[in-house]
């Protein structure tokens, strides 16, 4: 069932950007490419599910950007759009407007998306870890921080280190 398309998503216009309803609908389209995550998200309440979709939409857009042949310029674009979103600037680009909405409504820590972009930049540069420490650092940027952001979006306090360490 697609709550966003059936009008069950929370509406509300963003100043100069896309409405929450449209952002959630676009994010739903992105999450359907990850069937297990899409399925698991339905175990959450509507607000948490929609927020998870918005976060996934931004992460996926970033990963797609840096996997383009022009990865270096795409990384600059990703950083610029992410910074604009972190400052609440509407871009008319659903994944980034969705991130801006989450930052504003859920108080997500802005340093996490910046560090995730650092990890995606490693992907763009075809990073290959040389040792276990580099591997763990890379995994934290690409997997751990998105999981921690998802936990915070779902209601875990940003200072709850014990829970976020398990995310």
């Amino acid at each position: 069932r697609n709550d966003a398309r059936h009008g069950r998503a929370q509406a509300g216009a963003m100043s100069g950007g896309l409405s929450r309803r449209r952002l959630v609908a676009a994010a739903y389209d992105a999450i359907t490419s990850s069937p297990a995550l899409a399925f698991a998200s339905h175990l959450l309440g509507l607000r948490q599910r929609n927020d998870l979709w918005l976060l996934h939409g931004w992460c996926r857009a970033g990963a797609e950007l840096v996997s383009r042949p022009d990865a270096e310029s795409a990384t600059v674009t990703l950083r610029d759009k992410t910074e604009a979103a972190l400052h609440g600037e509407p871009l008319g680009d659903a994944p980034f407007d969705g991130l801006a909405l989450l930052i504003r409504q859920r108080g997500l820590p802005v340093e996490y998306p910046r560090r995730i972009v650092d990890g995606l930049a490693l992907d763009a540069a075809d990073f290959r870890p040389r040792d276990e420490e580099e591997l763990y650092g890379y995994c934290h940027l690409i997997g751990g921080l998105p999981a921690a952001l998802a936990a915070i979006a779902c209601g875990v306090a940003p200072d709850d280190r014990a829970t976020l360490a398990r995310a």
Side-chain angles (χ1 to χ4, degrees), residues 15-120:
S15 173
L18 301 171
S19 71
R20 181 174 174 85
R21 182 181 306 239
R22 287 188 182 185
L23 293 173
V24 169
Y28 178 82
D29 288 343
I31 204 167
T32 58
S33 65
S34 301
L37 186 55
F39 175 80
S41 73
H42 285 280
L43 298 173
L44 302 171
L46 180 62
R47 184 200 61 81
Q48 293 172 324
R49 178 172 53 243
N50 289 346
D51 287 352
L52 182 66
W53 292 351
L54 291 169
L55 180 60
H56 179 269
W58 172 75
C59 289
R60 183 162 179 83
E64 288 175 0
L65 266 172
V66 301
S67 66
R68 297 186 337 199
D70 61 337
E72 189 174 320
S73 66
T75 300
V76 171
T77 299
L78 173 59
R79 283 191 194 282
D80 290 347
K81 287 184 169 189
T82 298
E83 278 303 315
L86 297 179
H87 293 293
E89 299 172 23
L91 298 168
D93 190 345
F96 297 92
D97 286 351
L99 177 63
L101 182 71
L102 285 174
I103 295 293
R104 188 176 73 248
Q105 290 185 343
R106 306 293 174 238
L108 301 181
V110 297
E111 65 273 7
Y112 284 27
R114 288 181 179 133
R115 292 183 60 209
I116 292 167
V117 170
D118 291 342
L120 292 169

